[in-house]
Amino acid sequence: MDTLLKIKKMKKIVNNADEIILNAVKKFNSIVSSTLGPKGYNVMIDRNLNYPMVTKDGVTVADNVQFNDKVEDTVVRLIRGAASKMSSEVGDGTTTATVIACTTVESLLPVIREHNLNVYKISEILNNYANIVEKYISKKSIIVDASSKKKQKLLESVIKVSTNGDKELTSLIYNTILTVKSDGALTVKESKTSESHVEYVDGYKIDSGLLLSNFITNISRGNTELQNPLILIAKDKITSTKEQILPLLNYCNRKGRPLVVITMDIDQEPLGAILINHLEHNVHSAVIRLEGPIARKEWIIEDLAKLTGATIVDSNMNKPFYKIDYETWLGTANTFVADRFISNLIVKEKTQDFKDYMSYLSHLLDNSKGIDKQRLIERIAKLEGSSATIYVGGETDAEIKEKMDRIDDAVSAARAALSGGIISGGGSELYRLSYLSENIYSNSFPATKESRIIAEVVSKILRSPMNMIIHNALGGSEVTENVKEALSIVATENNMGIDVSNELELSDMISCGIVDPAMVTIKAVKTGLSVAALLLTTKFIIVNDNDEYVLNNQNPLPYAF
């Protein structure tokens, strides 16, 4: 029987963790899994005073699930954290990862109890199965090549699946990715109108505009355009007019060239000196003060210096500012265009130093992941001048947010497909593997008591994504004999699957465009099994709590450690 023990205030320790974990994953799985597949359900999310959001984006739903019970919520946060990490790495597949994690815990905990199995051996076996899935899916993957018209159709299919068949969004994303290439920077923002559209950038785009509107020369367009400007890039704040700005302006005046100053910050007096010379047509100029986090501003300055051939002006200079050699310290560009919000530099001729720098960034990209990888993709794309922004329109904030979620998923899925190929979708490839997994395991790893007992359970886990997609399409009704017969064919024939958008017809998934990125499927399974292993090996849960007493179960867990 559970007893209450007095313990340090604000901490609650729960011993019978397996029951709580089981209850939490069941409830969490029922919510998140309901969104899976083209016939998945929408979930309405309260946003306090804002308009409620309606979405079927799995990661958005998961992020908004919060249980009143702090112990159960702690369990859910672990699963949610793993899914979010996966989302940051490959951008899609979080719902599948959640379904696999929860199904694994739901299916294995009762088996572990019944047979008194060692959970650490179970954890090792799950890791082995994750490796089996990776090898199997990698062999089944079909390469997607954006330069091949025949393979481009596969890319379009990936995007169509992620947008839930929305033809307008599919076309918009597909054409954008073909234009900026797989490694191009593609951002998604809210449109100021009800229509969705895309804007392409030729050159290096800076998300900071003219510091003062007085620098604008084209009133009708609200911007300024400078041809063949000299460029000063300053990491430190510009503070002196006499020592820093006047010598620079005199040099530009002698050369007969405009001046662009890109800096972290600048005082009013030197800014005023630049503006006066601009307005009096002595030296046409523009001043850009970079906005955003310090780390972002620092890499923008570094990248711009390499792009323009400038030397960064900072406190590490070994000579006073007015003594520097402007010929070597100032950068150049063919064209500079800016308004009050955005600036754009076009540099047509690239130096060898710049090419070496790009090779260096590409090397960093190959050895990075997560947020660092996304940042490097953006940096490289901006430097190559291949970037675009998709502006998403809609009638309500909820509609726009839902569209943005689908576009984000589709872009990530497309990039994953270009990187690692595609497989037949709808969970069909994992469904086929489920009937082969036991034999593959026995031929690859030593057979143990644990591996023999859970073999059928693992097969059920691999079938869970496809089963849930069909369950949602049927609205909870029983599986018909026709569907059962179709599933028996799916289990043995390559590329076959169930098209739930077409009356649950047996179809060649590749031919009808129902495909998944191989990389996303692999990551979903590995993430799901990994977080499940953590939960299965958890005995205690400690949470912050206002209670002065804690729950303590005197009985040991019903399985061995």
Side-chain angles (χ1 to χ4, degrees), residues 160-174:
K160 185 178 179 181
V161 170
S162 292
T163 59
N164 295 330
D166 189 312
K167 292 182 179 180
E168 180 186 354
L169 290 184
T170 298
S171 177
L172 191 70
I173 298 165
Y174 173 68

Side-chain angles (χ1 to χ4, degrees), residues 132-143:
I132 288 173
V133 169
E134 182 172 15
K135 291 179 181 178
Y136 177 85
I137 296 297
S138 296
K139 288 181 180 179
K140 291 286 185 177
S141 67
I142 301 170
I143 299 300

Side-chain angles (χ1 to χ4, degrees), residues 34 98 101 105 111 124 134 170 191 196 241 269 314 368 384 400 417 444 470 486 488 505 516:
S34 69
T98 300
V105 174
V111 175
E124 183 180 344
E134 182 172 15
T170 298
S191 174
S196 297
T241 301
E269 185 181 327
D314 60 17
S368 64
E384 290 180 339
I400 292 171
S444 306
I470 293 172
S488 66
E505 285 289 325
D516 289 328

Side-chain angles (χ1 to χ4, degrees), residues 88-129:
S88 70
E89 292 179 4
V90 294
D92 198 15
T94 49
T95 309
T96 301
T98 300
V99 168
I100 287 176
C102 294
T103 304
T104 301
V105 174
E106 288 183 48
S107 304
L108 281 180
L109 264 181
V111 175
I112 289 170
R113 288 172 173 173
E114 181 183 351
H115 297 278
N116 195 32
L117 302 179
N118 185 311
V119 289
Y120 286 101
K121 289 184 178 179
I122 296 297
S123 177
E124 183 180 344
I125 292 168
L126 291 178
N127 183 61
N128 292 338
Y129 272 108

Side-chain angles (χ1 to χ4, degrees), residues 133-252:
V133 169
E134 182 172 15
K135 291 179 181 178
Y136 177 85
I137 296 297
S138 296
K139 288 181 180 179
K140 291 286 185 177
S141 67
I142 301 170
I143 299 300
V144 176
D145 184 359
S147 63
S148 165
K149 288 190 176 181
K150 184 177 180 181
K151 296 292 181 69
Q152 283 176 3
K153 195 69 179 175
L154 295 176
L155 177 64
E156 188 176 14
S157 296
V158 170
I159 297 169
K160 185 178 179 181
V161 170
S162 292
T163 59
N164 295 330
D166 189 312
K167 292 182 179 180
E168 180 186 354
L169 290 184
T170 298
S171 177
L172 191 70
I173 298 165
Y174 173 68
N175 290 322
T176 304
I177 289 177
L178 288 184
T179 302
V180 302
K181 308 296 188 250
S182 61
D183 55 354
L186 203 167
T187 55
V188 182
K189 293 183 179 180
E190 184 175 331
S191 174
K192 294 180 180 179
T193 69
S194 60
E195 299 296 322
S196 297
H197 64 283
V198 61
E199 291 183 4
Y200 297 98
V201 175
D202 180 20
Y204 190 101
K205 177 184 175 184
I206 307 171
D207 292 324
S208 301
L210 297 168
L211 186 54
L212 297 174
S213 58
N214 306 74
F215 288 112
I216 292 174
T217 55
N218 189 321
I219 303 300
S220 62
R221 292 186 178 180
N223 69 6
T224 188
E225 181 173 330
L226 302 176
Q227 297 297 328
N228 195 30
L230 294 169
I231 299 169
L232 174 75
I233 298 178
K235 187 174 182 181
D236 291 340
K237 186 176 184 180
I238 298 174
T239 58
S240 172
T241 301
K242 182 178 179 180
E243 292 190 354
Q244 295 179 311
I245 295 305
L246 291 182
L248 175 63
L249 290 171
N250 287 331
Y251 177 82
C252 293

